[in-house]
Amino acid sequence: MDDYRVIADELAADIAAGRIRAGDRLLPLRRFARNRHIASSTAARVYRELSRRGLTVGEVGRGTFVRTAAPAAEPALAEPGEARVDLEMNFPVLPGHPALLARSLEQLVRPDALAAALRPVGAAGTDVARRTAAAHLARADWAPDPGQLLFAGNGRQAVAAAIAALVPAGERLGVEALTYPVVKGIAARLGVTLVPLAMDEHGLTPDALRAAAPLRAVYVQPALHNPLGTTMPGPRRTELADALRELGIHVIEDAIYGFLRNDLPPLAALAPERTVVVDSLSKRLAPGLSLGFLTVPTGATQEFATALRSGTWAASRFALDAATRWMADGTAAAVEEEKRSDAAARQRIVAERLAGFRVRADPQAYHCWWELPDPWRADTFVAAAARRGIAVTPSGAFAVGPGHAPSAVRLALASPPVDVLAGALDVLAGLAQGMPEDTVPE
């Protein structure tokens, strides 16, 4: 067994026995190396091994700490939480929307229509579905070509198909340094290496893209970035499109939340030959009956359709027909308009209840990024919030690679009623103004 693993085993035993307590900060790396009479590189491997086992968490500028709770079994946050107030998952279903959606389905459950909806369908769907979806997804100065549209079961499957089509196993996919957790899981299952790319206040920087080359593709969220909630301005989108052309790289543009900010065109309007736009109905309408969309470059439909089929990620005919009806009769547009108003109202509640804290978000986003005040750490704050019946997501769920995660949490705002949301934010604000329960004076 390697020496670093022996040392990691000793520290793990100390943590299990309580000799090193939850919340304790480990020695700085160089001091740990000196005390153990080992090389700094060996000490770094020890700390990485403890992180890999889920025993520690690192935070930028603060050091490495013993976790106060076990890490989530699934970092992609695939299942709804069981907390009394769920600020971890975003399921925006507003009162009255189920009844509105149901009215559009009355004709679909007639025997003749249902017979057609129960038949299989390919990744390209139907002509009617493609034309209807293209019209519905159009925004700003961009409208997808119906001939370049494909359908997946949901947005996650659309992302998986896009990655599978563009990035062979063992190759490199660039992603923002903080990214949608599901992408990390997809990449691991496909054998794809994620390369974190630096961001600034406007999003992914073109220079980071150039510095990381060669890449097979890059995955970005220009509109209402998850988890940061920020939106990439027009000039940065133009610069990024120019860099993609310069480097010959394809981009997977996640537009899942883009319906909340439909005033800016996607990257596909600037570099259509390099862009795959991924979208879905899960946030637009409801997660229970979803549909994923891929708008692919001209001439690439067969490649992406093959990826959808091989991954069994294609849409079902019933979901396709239901979604087509919702988009065609205006139901989807009406639901989305109400959600835009709802998201803006929830952001106003955040601005009021978390005034004075460092919170980042687009005013139209259904989530926000909260940079916690000292001496709070993300892991400790999540545990303390959970003890008060509130589920929030630590920054580590979004960080790419084993590096340090910032001392921040993401708050998903869509699931609870607005009065419950306001009360939960009051509780969290009071919590943040106090001291962590595991803080021990030095």
Side-chain angles (χ1 to χ4, degrees):
M1 180 179 289
D2 293 342
D3 288 344
Y4 81 91
R5 289 180 180 165
V6 173
I7 299 172
D9 287 343
E10 293 175 3
L11 292 176
D14 288 341
I15 292 171
R19 291 186 290 272
I20 302 177
R21 296 176 299 174
D24 281 356
R25 181 170 54 196
L26 300 186
L27 291 174
L29 198 62
R30 291 182 181 178
R31 183 176 171 188
F32 178 80
R34 288 198 304 270
N35 288 359
R36 289 275 182 163
H37 305 291
I38 58 177
S40 295
S41 59
T42 302
R45 297 182 77 184
V46 171
Y47 278 28
R48 284 198 297 270
E49 177 65 14
L50 293 174
S51 175
R52 187 191 67 80
R53 298 184 191 184
L55 298 174
T56 61
V57 60
E59 298 193 10
V60 177
R62 309 181 82 171
T64 300
F65 297 81
V66 177
R67 282 187 177 273
T68 58
E74 176 50 69
L77 309 175
E79 299 294 333
E82 296 181 355
R84 292 194 298 273
V85 182
D86 186 0
L87 302 185
E88 186 176 24
M89 306 297 293
N90 257 337
F91 293 127
V93 179
L94 304 184
H97 284 179
L100 184 62
L101 295 169
R103 285 199 292 272
S104 294
L105 297 184
E106 291 176 356
Q107 292 185 342
L108 183 58
V109 296
R110 289 170 45 188
D112 56 338
L114 187 59
L118 295 179
R119 298 189 186 117
V121 68
T126 65
D127 289 341
V128 171
R130 288 194 300 275
R131 291 195 303 270
T132 303
H136 187 76
L137 297 176
R139 55 189 168 97
D141 296 323
W142 176 77
D145 180 348
Q148 303 307 123
L149 262 173
L150 298 171
F151 300 95
N154 55 45
R156 295 179 179 188
Q157 293 174 347
V159 171
I163 294 174
L166 292 174
V167 189
E171 295 287 347
R172 290 155 43 97
L173 172 68
V175 296
E176 293 137 322
L178 295 169
T179 194
Y180 178 37
V182 166
V183 172
K184 298 196 291 183
I186 291 171
R189 287 166 177 79
L190 294 177
V192 169
T193 300
L194 294 184
V195 179
L197 305 176
M199 306 171 67
D200 61 15
E201 69 275 16
H202 298 307
L204 175 65
T205 67
D207 285 345
L209 195 60
R210 295 185 179 97
L215 300 169
R216 292 302 293 262
V218 60
Y219 166 88
V220 299
Q221 304 170 83
L224 291 88
H225 179 276
N226 181 17
L228 298 179
T230 53
T231 295
M232 184 181 292
R236 173 59 57 82
R237 295 180 186 221
T238 300
E239 294 169 4
L240 189 56
D242 291 342
L244 292 168
R245 286 200 184 92
E246 171 192 329
L247 299 169
I249 297 175
H250 281 90
V251 60
I252 302 167
E253 179 175 6
D254 188 332
I256 301 299
Y257 282 107
F259 75 98
L260 294 171
R261 276 292 308 267
N262 56 7
D263 56 317
L264 289 173
L267 291 169
L270 305 170
E273 77 284 4
R274 288 287 160 196
T275 308
V276 178
V277 180
V278 174
D279 207 330
S280 89
L281 292 183
S282 61
K283 306 301 183 188
R284 290 172 176 265
L285 297 184
L289 184 60
S290 189
L291 184 71
F293 307 95
L294 291 96
T295 302
V296 305
T298 301
T301 52
Q302 187 57 50
E303 179 182 359
F304 287 86
T306 298
L308 284 164
R309 288 194 298 271
S310 64
T312 64
W313 295 317
S316 73
R317 178 65 181 266
F318 184 86
L320 183 69
D321 286 1
T324 300
R325 289 175 180 270
W326 286 327
M327 291 185 289
D329 68 8
T331 298
V335 169
E336 291 167 17
E337 182 59 35
E338 289 189 21
K339 288 188 176 183
R340 282 189 281 271
S341 297
D342 181 62
R346 289 168 187 263
Q347 284 292 345
R348 289 193 292 271
I349 293 173
V350 171
E352 176 186 340
R353 302 307 171 104
L354 298 185
F357 293 104
R358 297 181 63 185
V359 178
R360 298 175 61 183
D362 186 293
Q364 291 293 131
Y366 258 134
H367 53 275
C368 65
W369 184 249
W370 186 3
E371 298 177 9
L372 298 169
D374 289 333
W376 285 101
R377 306 188 312 275
D379 191 54
T380 307
F381 190 82
V382 169
R387 288 193 289 271
R388 290 155 177 80
I390 304 171
V392 301
T393 309
S395 58
F398 307 96
V400 180
H404 293 293
S407 180
V409 294
R410 188 201 68 172
L411 305 181
L413 311 175
S415 297
V418 290
D419 58 333
V420 174
L421 172 64
L425 292 175
D426 285 342
V427 171
L428 295 178
L431 181 62
Q433 289 168 347
M435 295 288 287
E437 295 166 13
D438 59 357
T439 297
V440 178
E442 297 184 358

